[in-house]
Amino acid sequence: MKLFFSLIFLCQVANSLEPVRIQLWHQMIYEHRSVLAQSLREFEKENPDIVIQETYRETEELRSSFQAAAIGGSGPELVYGPSDQIGPFATMGIIQPIDDLLGQDFIKPFDPLATPEFLNKRYIVGASVGNHLMLLYNKKLVPRAPKTTDELIEMGKKFAATGKGNYGLVFNYTEPFFFAPFISAFSDKADNKEFSLELDVAALTKTFEFILELRDKHKIIPKECDYETANALFKQDKAAFLINGDWSWGDYKKAGVDFGIAPIPLISKTGKWPSPLVGTAGYSVNAKMKSERHKQATIRLLKYLLSERAQLFFTNKVGVLPSLISLRESDVVKSNPLLQVSTEIMKLGTPMPVIPEIRAVWDSLRVQYQKVLAGSSTAAQGAEDAKKLAESQIRDMNEVLQPDASALFIKILTLLGFLFLLWKTYPAFLSFLRGFQGSHKFVYYMILPAFIGIFTIIIYPFFFNIVISFSNFSLKTFQNFSIVGFQNYKMVLMDPQFYSLFLKTVVWTLVNVVFHVSIGLFLAVIINQVMPMKSFWRTLFIIPWAVPQYITALTWRGMFNQEYGPINIFLQNFLHLSPVQWLSQPMTAFFACVVTNVWLGFPFMMIVALGGLQSIPKSLYEAAYLDRANAWQRFRHITLPLLAPVMIPAALLGSIWTFNNLNVVWLVSNGGEPGDQTHILVSYVYKAAFNLYRYGYAASVSVLIFLVLVIWSLSSLRKQFKKEQKA
Amino acid sequence: MIKKTFAWISILLFAIFAVYPLLYIISVSLRGDDAFQSQSLEIFSNTSTFKNYSELFFKTNFLLWLRNSLVIATMTTIISVALASTSAYALSRHMFKGRNLMLFSLLGTQMFPPTMLILPFYIILSRLQLIDHFLGLFIIYSSTALPFCIWQMKAYYDTIPKELEEAAILDGCSAWETFYKIILPISSPALAITALFSFMSSWSEYVVAAVILQDPLLYTLPLGLRSFQASLATQWGLYAAGALIVSIPVLILFMSVARFLVSGLTLGSVKG
């Protein structure tokens, strides 16, 4: 017995000697990652009892993965990201206040910008400060930066005139973050150093008009310009000025661009400086710690990462502005001219808001602004709508539905439904169980493993979603949601947007499936009847099916790019047409999605059709030939009716897949751009759940999608069954 | 003659449509750092370089991701083929209460928007302590691939005449022997497709892997590729090079089973 206990004791000692594994999720850009890795390896060398595992996640993905991990009760000890992610995380209760963990004294030496307050607590400590926008100018093309916007326009026009495809100014102007600096400069109100949730309609209208003027009247910015395009144009000496953030410097240095930085020019009309948002990127601590040892190790790591040493290392390598005030006087900072100018620019800035509601403001700005740019709304109307949309989205986000009478009703209904189901399926279930002993037990054992897998992995999530769809699961009730009744469904069904999206999804599905089937059938018939080297053509046309979907989608997005996409280059060089702004107009963007999806889907139908064609007896065609039926008649009366039983199930499956195809729409249109006008139902669900935290609402839309598809497939299968019976 | 010309022209047009995006990926992957966004339509130019490929193989964990993806896709394929071939056979040959419901619920699993399933997947796997384990991915990938695989295997079995088994039983084969020695061999086209389909779905799956695999040493290819795609600084050259290499195994697999594809992909049968 004694031996046993001492064994246990020994095991525990051995256990505690094993190094603690601390996880860190970050979203650092490519160049910063290796610096972080070096810094962490250094720490591990000095602290052999701690092992750190750093994982890169793209910003949005880090957010949704961390949320999922937190619900599952795990997740990384430390999260590194921009300050605006702490609002939602803290509201959900999945990160903990750092001032409680480390004390007020720890926080004092940091720049206040690096330790923003949220609900009177500090949930993040920044490792660097900045992330703000500025004007970059290419010294090879222009001698200096303009002071005012009039000067900018004049200099820009001059440069644009030097050659075709040259632009005065480029920036990712469709993103609200990139035009936000201008809003305050157009505001009549006195400078207040706070970004307000309430949008200033007058200022916003003027900002929209200003950007439109730059684009249409002065023509110094490209008609369509995303981040990548702006980047490339600037690097290729095709743009004199660029608005971008401090994170981008490294990239341009590496590309050998000789550039200078300056504040975004003073707005000539109002005489005010645009005010970029200044934020921080830093570390937050998971609210749940696996053990006391993990907690202590996390604290040690956090202190190290924020220490003078680690910060200096980063500043040295990648030139970020340290968050410790004491370091601002260090040689590394003083001798870096970019950092000196950048610090001056920062003084014009507004602190980046951290409250979760800001997400709704950004989103509604993006949506309405892109509509204005696409010409589907005027500046004034867009500004007005953006304000309204922001208000309603904030309301939706913060709304905590209260249980009503129907909640109880649902609970009772569920119970009754369950009992009813049990009663109904009990005999079938019993006979199924009995089957295991009967003469056909072999059959039952063959079915069992697959169905156990399917049922646990798919049925549980399915019921989970049904439960959620009746609940108030959202940002504020992240850890303690409750069943509230039919309210989500009522909201969905009362919303006219749901019906228009539904209609659009139906059109999307119909157009896609019609093209899939007709192209597939067409190619199959031609390959089967006319072409030599059948297997070569067959293999060639399989290619689109073989390329992974996410790669396809991003590739097509690249091909539709206004500036660099081969499609526009082809239109210009060979057909002498003017370039089309595929991705910034709602109709053409939707068209781009359809083309991509048609490309993806026709090979499947072609293969199915080829298989069907092979099994049609040749004698039928020969007989038809003797009867002098022409090609069309042969197709119409032999091929089509005999292929139908093969094609209909394939088309049905295809329509279900297309109806629910999130990848293509989301990736090609970059999440519904322009202005949420390219959504289909699934992408709308995705947005509601992961961007606006309305899980309950999203789940109820999902359940409705499911019901629609069940009805649709039941009705089409029934037709099929009837036909089979007649035959 | 006119008919032939028309056929050739249209098939060549579609061939361009089908192949061009792949050529575009190739051309991006061969461009140097500064020129990957370029305004020329040339696929190869004098600035073409294999720099991205060498960087991919020697400076990133690409080979590790490749190994992980191969392990996961192979295991998923084995599990799916084993389970789909057996259960589909039972569904095809045996009538029992609830069979149609079972078949329809298989189709039904394809109808729920997949994005909403991720959160519950995560919850199940974290209860089972399978986060950061390949086993978790095997389970999810094979059970999500199964419905389609079973459906299509069942449709194929339906086309095999029952007389075959009756003869085998008369010859003294057991039910298992009949399945194993008679039915499986003649179903090889359908098996090839089931294998291909499950391999492909796990090979290129990204969203579930992103939630379940947190240890970079366990990353699969799609996850690795995504890490070149930072929010505001994408390594397009590396991404394209990686994308191309990811597509190649699937292409080879497709080509090697292409002859089975046509005879094996039956979702409903022709009554000849």
Side-chain angles (χ1 to χ4, degrees):
Chain A
M1 200 65 188
K2 222 176 193 177
L3 189 75
F4 179 71
F5 274 115
S6 53
L7 258 177
I8 286 187
F9 180 70
L10 266 177
C11 285
Q12 276 173 345
V13 171
N15 223 356
S16 66
L17 284 176
E18 206 168 275
V20 208
R21 207 176 77 149
I22 300 294
Q23 291 200 50
L24 162 64
W25 288 5
H26 65 89
Q27 44 85 265
M28 288 187 189
I29 58 173
Y30 203 70
E31 284 99 29
H32 291 203
R33 278 179 233 167
S34 59
V35 183
L36 176 72
Q38 283 176 46
S39 186
L40 290 176
R41 297 298 89 79
E42 188 72 27
F43 176 78
E44 280 173 343
K45 225 182 272 165
E46 288 161 22
N47 299 273
D49 57 327
I50 302 177
V51 178
I52 302 146
Q53 187 184 76
E54 73 270 29
T55 306
Y56 163 78
R57 291 274 150 103
E58 192 270 330
T59 314
E60 287 301 300
E61 217 173 274
L62 187 142
R63 214 167 41 80
S64 56
S65 309
F66 184 57
Q67 276 157 225
I71 297 179
S74 60
E77 279 74 21
L78 279 180
V79 200
Y80 172 92
S83 49
D84 54 342
Q85 74 186 12
I86 65 166
F89 286 170
T91 311
M92 291 174 189
I94 57 180
I95 52 175
Q96 53 178 306
I98 291 183
D99 27 16
D100 289 0
L101 194 69
L102 295 177
Q104 291 289 342
D105 291 339
F106 179 78
I107 301 226
K108 261 179 211 153
F110 290 92
D111 186 331
L113 276 170
T115 53
E117 250 177 64
F118 178 66
L119 304 175
N120 298 323
K121 298 273 185 199
R122 291 174 182 85
Y123 287 90
I124 191 171
V125 180
S128 63
V129 179
N131 258 345
H132 53 296
L133 293 173
M134 60 199 74
L135 189 76
L136 285 82
Y137 61 100
N138 189 331
K139 288 184 180 164
K140 202 160 115 195
L141 310 175
V142 279
R144 60 185 175 84
K147 284 264 148 37
T148 65
T149 50
D150 282 351
E151 209 180 331
L152 171 78
I153 291 165
E154 190 193 321
M155 288 172 82
K157 271 184 180 164
K158 218 162 105 192
F159 175 72
T162 57
K164 195 177 166 274
N166 284 353
Y167 296 101
L169 171 70
V170 291
F171 66 113
N172 183 18
Y173 65 86
T174 49
E175 256 306 300
F177 180 74
F178 284 80
F179 78 84
F182 296 105
I183 303 175
S184 58
F186 280 107
S187 165
D188 299 329
K189 290 175 192 138
D191 280 336
N192 61 336
K193 286 270 166 192
E194 201 153 307
F195 191 88
S196 148
L197 277 183
E198 199 154 323
L199 289 170
D200 179 344
V201 176
L204 203 55
T205 310
K206 282 180 201 151
T207 314
F208 287 170
E209 279 164 355
F210 174 70
I211 304 268
L212 284 176
E213 257 176 36
L214 287 182
R215 189 186 72 176
D216 302 334
K217 190 175 151 205
H218 306 301
K219 298 198 167 81
I220 63 164
I221 57 175
K223 284 218 162 7
E224 190 183 284
C225 190
D226 58 11
Y227 187 86
E228 305 284 348
T229 309
N231 223 357
L233 284 168
F234 190 67
K235 279 192 207 164
Q236 291 165 6
D237 295 339
K238 288 190 162 179
F241 303 109
L242 166 79
I243 296 177
N244 208 340
D246 54 358
W247 62 82
S248 65
W249 299 339
D251 196 17
Y252 304 132
K253 272 188 205 157
K254 218 173 94 189
V257 183
D258 184 16
F259 67 96
I261 59 171
I264 302 173
L266 187 88
I267 303 290
S268 309
K269 252 186 217 158
T270 59
K272 277 187 177 178
W273 287 100
S275 171
L277 290 161
V278 186
T280 184
Y283 299 93
S284 298
V285 183
N286 194 327
K288 274 190 203 132
M289 284 287 149
K290 293 182 189 99
S291 72
E292 185 58 30
R293 267 190 85 207
H294 279 86
K295 188 177 162 189
Q296 293 312 324
T298 307
I299 291 177
R300 245 153 76 202
L301 176 61
L302 184 65
K303 282 186 174 161
Y304 167 79
L305 285 167
L306 295 168
S307 67
E308 286 197 359
R309 203 173 112 209
Q311 288 202 16
L312 272 180
F313 185 63
F314 257 88
T315 308
N316 238 329
K317 293 267 175 182
V318 289
V320 291
L321 189 68
S323 60
L324 281 167
I325 302 271
S326 56
L327 290 180
R328 299 280 166 84
E329 300 303 317
S330 67
D331 292 339
V332 189
V333 177
K334 285 271 176 198
S335 63
N336 186 333
L338 285 178
L339 278 185
Q340 290 305 310
V341 183
S342 170
T343 317
E344 287 307 308
I345 300 173
M346 247 167 63
K347 288 178 186 155
L348 295 169
T350 313
M352 182 79 180
V354 295
I355 45 174
E357 287 87 346
I358 196 69
R359 201 174 175 82
V361 177
W362 287 136
D363 187 69
S364 46
L365 272 178
R366 185 182 301 116
V367 170
Q368 295 304 330
Y369 171 58
Q370 285 176 357
K371 278 189 187 167
V372 173
L373 288 174
S376 31
S377 184
T378 62
Q381 188 62 42
E384 188 65 41
D385 289 347
K387 185 183 158 78
K388 270 189 212 144
L389 186 63
E391 282 163 359
S392 83
Q393 286 198 349
I394 290 174
R395 211 169 39 239
D396 288 343
M397 241 172 89
N398 283 337
E399 188 173 35
V400 177
L401 295 172
Q402 292 308 317
D404 63 8
S406 63
L408 189 69
F409 176 68
I410 283 165
K411 283 176 191 162
I412 294 170
L413 202 70
T414 317
L415 192 71
L416 286 178
F418 183 70
L419 288 176
F420 178 75
L421 213 67
L422 207 64
W423 179 61
K424 264 293 194 198
T425 55
Y426 184 63
F429 187 65
L430 261 193
S431 81
F432 186 75
L433 281 187
R434 232 175 271 136
F436 284 97
Q437 280 126 27
S439 53
H440 289 287
K441 62 180 172 197
F442 163 69
V443 173
Y444 289 91
Y445 282 110
M446 279 178 101
I447 284 193
L448 198 65
F451 274 80
I452 289 180
I454 295 173
F455 273 78
T456 45
I457 290 302
I458 301 185
I459 302 301
Y460 168 77
F462 176 68
F463 282 104
F464 180 84
N465 270 293
I466 293 188
V467 171
I468 284 188
S469 73
F470 290 110
S471 79
N472 58 2
F473 193 11
S474 68
L475 180 65
K476 296 246 156 124
T477 51
F478 198 71
Q479 313 247 22
N480 53 343
F481 60 88
S482 52
I483 303 294
V484 290
F486 285 107
Q487 293 165 53
N488 284 320
Y489 288 95
K490 215 161 79 191
M491 246 186 317
V492 177
L493 292 172
M494 303 272 275
D495 186 357
Q497 206 194 348
F498 172 76
Y499 297 98
S500 66
L501 275 170
F502 177 67
L503 205 68
K504 201 155 159 203
T505 315
V506 170
V507 171
W508 153 261
T509 310
L510 211 66
V511 170
N512 273 302
V513 174
V514 165
F515 274 112
H516 289 161
V517 173
S518 53
I519 295 178
L521 206 57
F522 177 74
L523 289 175
V525 169
I526 288 189
I527 290 175
N528 199 43
Q529 295 181 352
V530 186
M531 302 310 285
M533 299 186 299
K534 293 185 175 29
S535 59
F536 166 77
W537 292 109
R538 208 168 53 198
T539 316
L540 183 93
F541 286 112
I542 288 174
I543 287 177
W545 189 6
V547 181
Q549 263 194 23
Y550 62 99
I551 292 175
T552 306
L554 288 170
T555 307
W556 276 95
R557 185 169 166 80
M559 298 200 353
F560 278 109
N561 186 294
Q562 122 117 16
E563 198 71 33
Y564 294 108
I567 294 174
N568 267 353
I569 298 174
F570 178 79
L571 287 182
Q572 283 171 286
N573 294 1
F574 293 95
L575 304 177
H576 299 288
L577 298 171
S578 53
V580 179
Q581 299 138 47
W582 295 103
L583 300 171
S584 52
Q585 301 290 328
M587 279 313 282
T588 50
F590 198 62
F591 175 77
C593 297
V594 171
V595 170
T596 309
N597 202 43
V598 166
W599 188 81
L600 262 170
F602 78 84
F604 176 76
M605 296 296 175
M606 182 191 78
I607 294 294
V608 174
L610 273 174
L613 284 176
Q614 272 194 348
S615 47
I616 298 176
K618 285 255 174 358
S619 56
L620 283 177
Y621 289 106
E622 281 155 15
Y625 206 73
L626 290 178
D627 286 347
R628 305 190 165 202
N630 62 26
W632 168 249
Q633 283 170 326
R634 287 198 302 268
F635 177 75
R636 171 72 189 77
H637 294 287
I638 302 175
T639 315
L640 217 53
L642 284 177
L643 269 187
V646 189
M647 294 310 286
I648 288 175
L652 174 67
L653 203 60
S655 67
I656 294 172
W657 285 339
T658 310
F659 199 94
N660 276 340
N661 193 331
L662 173 79
N663 275 351
V664 170
V665 176
W666 193 266
L667 293 175
V668 173
S669 73
N670 195 19
E673 282 175 5
D676 271 354
Q677 293 172 97
T678 47
H679 278 302
I680 59 171
L681 275 175
V682 271
S683 58
Y684 176 71
V685 166
Y686 186 81
K687 192 180 164 186
F690 293 97
N691 277 14
L692 300 170
Y693 313 102
R694 301 173 68 199
Y695 288 99
Y697 180 82
S700 65
V701 181
S702 303
V703 172
L704 289 171
I705 292 178
F706 175 74
L707 289 179
V708 166
L709 287 176
V710 166
I711 293 168
W712 152 241
S713 47
L714 270 180
S715 64
S716 56
L717 279 179
R718 179 160 300 158
K719 264 186 213 151
Q720 175 85 355
F721 286 144
K722 267 185 195 155
K723 260 187 209 157
E724 273 174 16
Q725 273 166 358
K726 267 185 208 159
Chain B
M1 196 57 217
I2 300 169
K3 231 166 58 186
K4 275 216 156 154
T5 333
F6 170 72
W8 270 99
I9 291 175
S10 50
I11 214 156
L12 286 176
L13 280 178
F14 276 111
I16 294 170
F17 177 60
V19 177
Y20 187 77
L22 203 68
L23 294 178
Y24 179 67
I25 301 179
I26 296 178
S27 94
V28 172
S29 76
L30 291 174
R31 289 179 201 161
D33 255 358
D34 305 313
F36 51 78
Q37 266 155 330
S38 105
Q39 271 160 332
S40 93
L41 282 178
E42 285 166 354
I43 308 285
F44 306 102
S45 68
N46 45 11
T47 53
S48 288
T49 119
F50 284 103
K51 193 177 134 274
N52 287 316
Y53 290 91
S54 65
E55 195 173 333
L56 190 69
F57 280 106
F58 301 116
K59 287 195 187 155
T60 68
N61 276 335
F62 191 77
L63 291 174
L64 181 77
W65 303 332
L66 189 70
R67 196 207 66 173
N68 291 342
S69 273
L70 277 177
V71 170
I72 291 174
T74 314
M75 271 311 284
T76 309
T77 310
I78 293 172
I79 299 174
S80 310
V81 169
L83 296 186
S85 59
T86 49
S87 57
Y89 181 65
L91 283 169
S92 161
R93 284 303 190 258
H94 192 66
M95 288 304 284
F96 52 86
K97 267 189 183 168
R99 188 189 85 134
N100 283 335
L101 184 74
M102 261 189 184
L103 275 174
F104 188 77
S105 67
L106 282 180
L107 188 63
T109 57
Q110 310 286 302
M111 297 177 196
F112 203 81
T115 41
M116 292 304 286
L117 302 178
I118 297 162
L119 191 63
F121 278 164
Y122 189 91
I123 296 176
I124 300 181
L125 290 187
S126 78
R127 296 261 159 83
L128 296 172
Q129 303 273 318
L130 286 180
I131 297 298
D132 259 349
H133 276 279
F134 283 170
L135 186 61
L137 278 184
F138 297 155
I139 295 175
I140 293 207
Y141 285 168
S142 36
S143 33
T144 45
L146 268 176
F148 175 80
C149 294
I150 295 178
W151 237 57
Q152 93 99 18
M153 283 300 297
K154 186 214 160 244
Y156 192 86
Y157 288 138
D158 284 349
T159 64
I160 301 173
K162 279 200 172 142
E163 288 79 16
L164 267 180
E165 284 131 297
E166 281 158 15
I169 297 210
L170 279 181
D171 285 348
C173 286
S174 69
W176 171 251
E177 275 170 344
T178 315
F179 170 69
Y180 182 69
K181 288 189 177 153
I182 314 277
I183 303 297
L184 269 192
I186 51 173
S187 309
S188 46
L191 287 174
I193 293 188
T194 302
L196 175 72
F197 184 85
S198 41
F199 185 89
M200 210 172 72
S201 60
S202 52
W203 180 258
S204 57
E205 202 285 333
Y206 167 71
V207 183
V208 175
V211 179
I212 289 167
L213 298 179
Q214 297 169 358
D215 184 342
L217 294 177
L218 298 178
Y219 270 17
T220 58
L221 279 173
L223 281 181
L225 280 191
R226 262 305 279 247
S227 67
F228 299 138
Q229 235 190 322
S231 322
L232 288 177
T234 300
Q235 311 288 108
W236 281 116
L238 278 181
Y239 181 79
L244 199 71
I245 295 177
V246 170
S247 312
I248 287 172
V250 191
L251 271 173
I252 292 174
L253 211 63
F254 254 96
M255 285 171 191
S256 53
V257 300
R259 65 203 171 89
F260 290 132
L261 268 180
V262 174
S263 53
L265 189 66
T266 5
L267 293 167
S269 57
V270 179
K271 288 193 180 112

